[in-house]
Amino acid sequence: TENDRGSFTSAYSAKIDEDTLKGSSVTKFGERSIERPFKANRVLPKPEPVGGWKWTTRGFGADASDAENELTLTMKDGKLSGTYARSDDVSPIQGVKLDKNTFAFKVQRTFRDREMTLNYTGQFRGDAIKGHYSVGENTSGSVNLWEAKRSSD
């Protein structure tokens, strides 16, 4: 770029990490060079969680097949609640938390006569929820990824 005091150039270099852009800019003005770090955060739109969300997960065991999951969310008196369904088994979700675009809930399930808790967390991204879930209260164990899409029905 050129102005009445001469010309200068600026070069930017950055890496994207989730919703953050971090890097540096280098501006050269004649023999002078100035480098400055910068950081920019993506501003996500307010989520619209109410409705149905569907995703597929792999079942347990060697002969397990894929299973369809559905999360149905409702809002009443400013509180988010809903149900989780897998096959014909429907369970209410518990411990629902929504902080900006970050979403978390738990669901109690029975598998082979054993009670277990599934702990889900994710972020609303338009018509998708992307996150991870773990089984049981020990969340430092196995973590699985999930991505739900808003259902049209």
Side-chain angles (χ1 to χ4, degrees), residues 124-135:
F124 286 97
R125 305 279 184 172
D127 285 338
I129 307 172
K130 295 181 182 183
H132 62 273
Y133 70 96
S134 60
V135 179

Side-chain angles (χ1 to χ4, degrees), residues 4-5 27 52 81 93-94 99-100 105 114 129 145 153:
D4 60 345
R5 295 183 295 177
T27 301
S81 63
I93 60 174
Q94 304 165 356
D99 182 20
K100 297 180 183 171
F105 69 94
R114 275 186 47 215
I129 307 172
L145 299 178
D153 33 285

Side-chain angles (χ1 to χ4, degrees), residues 107-126:
V107 64
Q108 292 289 111
R109 305 287 288 166
T110 302
F111 178 70
R112 294 187 181 158
D113 297 326
R114 275 186 47 215
E115 287 289 319
M116 68 174 68
T117 302
L118 301 174
N119 304 289
Y120 282 84
T121 61
Q123 279 201 324
F124 286 97
R125 305 279 184 172

Side-chain angles (χ1 to χ4, degrees), residues 26 96 148:
V26 177
V96 180

Side-chain angles (χ1 to χ4, degrees), residues 70-86:
E70 183 169 10
L71 180 65
T72 303
L73 298 174
T74 57
M75 183 79 71
K76 184 175 181 182
D77 299 327
K79 292 192 111 187
L80 194 59
S81 63
T83 58
Y84 169 92
R86 181 174 172 141

Side-chain angles (χ1 to χ4, degrees), residues 21-70:
L21 182 67
K22 287 183 182 179
S24 63
S25 67
V26 177
T27 301
K28 293 182 181 181
F29 184 75
E31 297 297 316
R32 288 181 50 199
S33 181
I34 300 171
E35 182 172 357
R36 292 188 175 123
F38 70 86
K39 178 180 172 183
N41 294 315
R42 180 191 328 228
V43 177
L44 297 171
K46 184 178 178 183
E48 296 180 19
V50 173
W53 301 86
K54 292 184 179 184
W55 70 100
T56 304
T57 54
R58 184 88 176 130
F60 299 104
D63 60 345
S65 59
D66 290 349
E68 294 299 318
N69 301 271
E70 183 169 10

